């Protein structure tokens, strides 16, 4: 995700601050605190135990695939949905939950048999199957529902979930919540699954989503169904649907990966920026390894929302998005999408790296001397830049310092361990955890193993603390003054 007010580090102009404000604080203890491992959710629990969003997700099953079918009438804004979820029980289930915001459920089947259901809280759909499900059993759940979708909430960076476009169309976007505003899901990054969408809209409208496009089915009733399928596992907030009068550009990357980009009415001027996507992905692949997604492209909405988002394989861009934002969101295809967070405390694994990708682009394409840029930023930084942790920053603070302090921390790490080890980390980490989840503490261990040195004090200074690092960590290697 790229926040509208996240200042691009390459063009930071920071007010000068007094030397006293920049004075290094006493060093922190050398060893980072041991993280508390997340509790395993009990079968049937209404959350997976992430301390930031304890009611997100559900216990007792692991989803392998979503097949979402919707019909949407832009004039009335009414959605009718029929979603089938394939999952495996991780415990004995006499009941289980799905997450769904609003929308009226009309019927639920489990294993082809009618199941009882009820609603509790803001988003819990409690399902009681006709017969208990034994641990290890694969089962399907079908939910039929409808209504006028609503945004899930006002998040740190703006509205999460279903949003109405100025054209009269609609789109779904938000982090950490968006999927459950239009289909039932196990809404946690820990439960990645394949995703297929059949979306039926009146003729004249069209649909963009994740993954690979299949030919639309044109009915004789004035409606057309569009088909999209993402064969790679995907976390729920990275799924999307866009309903509008899109203009499509279709091509392929050099390796044959399909590239589909869509432009809402009024957004066609973004074609020049998007035309550089093959170049951007080739550059990012040179840093991070082969492109890990099944498809590529972009969704350009003509909306002044507060963020652009790395929806898998096909990011959503606000009307203000520019080339650095396209670099940022596509870096997420490795860091954040292919390798997803284990918990929201780990968000630096997404945003710090996507932000540093912008630095790497400027270094390679614009000739920026990153050490000089780093020193200017460090020497002119206001106190608030240092007053925020990059790991386990606390609920509500996920999308703050990761955009400015985050890339600085990674550049300092690069100078601490040297380019050879750092370049290995950039490629080997996403390869090791491809299509999975990982945590920040795991990353620290990985880096120390790759570099062959104890970096505990460095990680404490930069990632576990909310004070300015001592000079020995602030100016390592070639950064030394």
């Amino acid at each position: 995700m790229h926040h509208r007010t996240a200042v691009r580090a390459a063009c930071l102009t920071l007010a000068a601050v007094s030397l006293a404000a920049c004075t290094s604080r006493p060093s922190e203890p050398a060893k980072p605190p041991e993280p508390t491992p997340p509790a395993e959710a009990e079968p049937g629990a209404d959350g997976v135990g992430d301390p930031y969003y304890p009611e997100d997700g559900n216990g007792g099953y692991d989803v392998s695939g979503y097949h979402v079918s919707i019909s949407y009438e832009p004039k009335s804004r009414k959605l009718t949905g029929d979603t089938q979820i394939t999952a495996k029980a991780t415990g004995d289930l006499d009941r289980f939950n799905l997450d769904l915001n609003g929308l009226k459920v009309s019927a639920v089947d489990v294993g082809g048999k009618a199941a009882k259901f009820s609603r509790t809280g803001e988003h819990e759909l409690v399902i009681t199957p006709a017969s208990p499900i034994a641990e290890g059993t694969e089962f399907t759940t079908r939910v039929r529902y409808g209504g006028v979708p609503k945004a899930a909430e006002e998040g740190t960076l703006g509205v999460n979930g279903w949003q109405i476009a100025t054209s009269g169309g609609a789109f779904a976007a938000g982090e950490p919540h968006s999927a459950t505003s239009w289909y039932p899901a196990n809404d946690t990054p820990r439960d990645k699954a394949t995703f297929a969408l059949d979306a039926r809209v009146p003729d004249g409208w069209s649909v963009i989503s994740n993954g690979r496009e299949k030919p639309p089915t044109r009915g004789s009733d004035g409606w057309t169904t569009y088909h999209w399928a993402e064969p790679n596992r995907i976390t729920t907030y990275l799924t999307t649907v866009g309903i509008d009068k899109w203009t499509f550009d279709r091509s392929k990357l050099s390796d044959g990966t399909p590239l589909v980009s869509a432009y809402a009415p009024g957004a066609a001027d973004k074609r020049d920026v998007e035309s550089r996507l093959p170049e951007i992905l080739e550059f990012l692949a040179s840093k991070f390894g082969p492109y890990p997604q099944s498809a590529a492209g972009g969704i350009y909405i003509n909306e002044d929302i507060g963020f652009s988002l790395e929806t898998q394989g096909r990011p959503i861009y606000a009307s203000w998005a520019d080339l650095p934002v396209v670099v940022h969101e596509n870096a997420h295809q490795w860091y954040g999408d292919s390798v997803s967070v284990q918990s929201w405390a780990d968000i630096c694994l997404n945003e710090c790296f996507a932000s540093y990708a912008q630095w790497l682009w400027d270094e390679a394409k614009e000739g920026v001397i990153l050490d000089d840029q780093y020193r200017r930023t460090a020497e002119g930084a206001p106190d608030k830049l240092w007053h925020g942790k990059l790991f386990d920053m606390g609920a509500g603070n996920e999308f703050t310092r990761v955009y400015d302090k985050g890339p600085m921390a990674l550049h300092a790490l690069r100078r601490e361990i040297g380019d050879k080890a750092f370049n290995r980390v950039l490629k080997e980490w996403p390869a090791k955890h491809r299509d999975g989840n990982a945590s920040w503490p795991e990353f620290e261990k990985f880096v120390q193993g790759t570099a062959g040195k104890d970096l505990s004090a460095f990680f404490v200074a930069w990632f576990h603390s909310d004070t300015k690092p001592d000079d020995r960590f602030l100016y390592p290697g070639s950064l030394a003054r």
Side-chain angles (χ1 to χ4, degrees), residues 382-404:
D383 279 352
K384 69 177 183 179
L385 185 140
W386 311 111
H387 293 171
K389 295 197 295 183
L390 293 173
F391 169 64
D392 201 8
M393 61 289 293
N397 299 315
E398 301 96 318
F399 303 106
T400 51
R401 297 282 69 87
V402 288
Y403 297 109
D404 46 21

Side-chain angles (χ1 to χ4, degrees), residues 198 216 230 361 399:
D198 301 317
E230 174 54 274
W361 174 269
F399 303 106

Side-chain angles (χ1 to χ4, degrees), residues 77 163-171 205 243-244 264 301-303:
R77 300 185 179 180
Q163 301 183 53
I164 302 301
T166 52
S167 64
F171 62 95
W205 298 89
I243 299 162
D244 217 315
I301 59 175
N302 190 26
E303 312 298 326

Side-chain angles (χ1 to χ4, degrees), residues 298-323:
I299 303 171
Y300 288 84
I301 59 175
N302 190 26
E303 312 298 326
D304 189 25
I305 61 173
F307 60 87
S308 294
L309 182 65
E310 63 270 19
T311 39
Q312 189 157 307
R314 197 161 285 114
I316 292 176
Y317 298 106
S319 57
W320 46 265
D322 55 9
L323 183 67

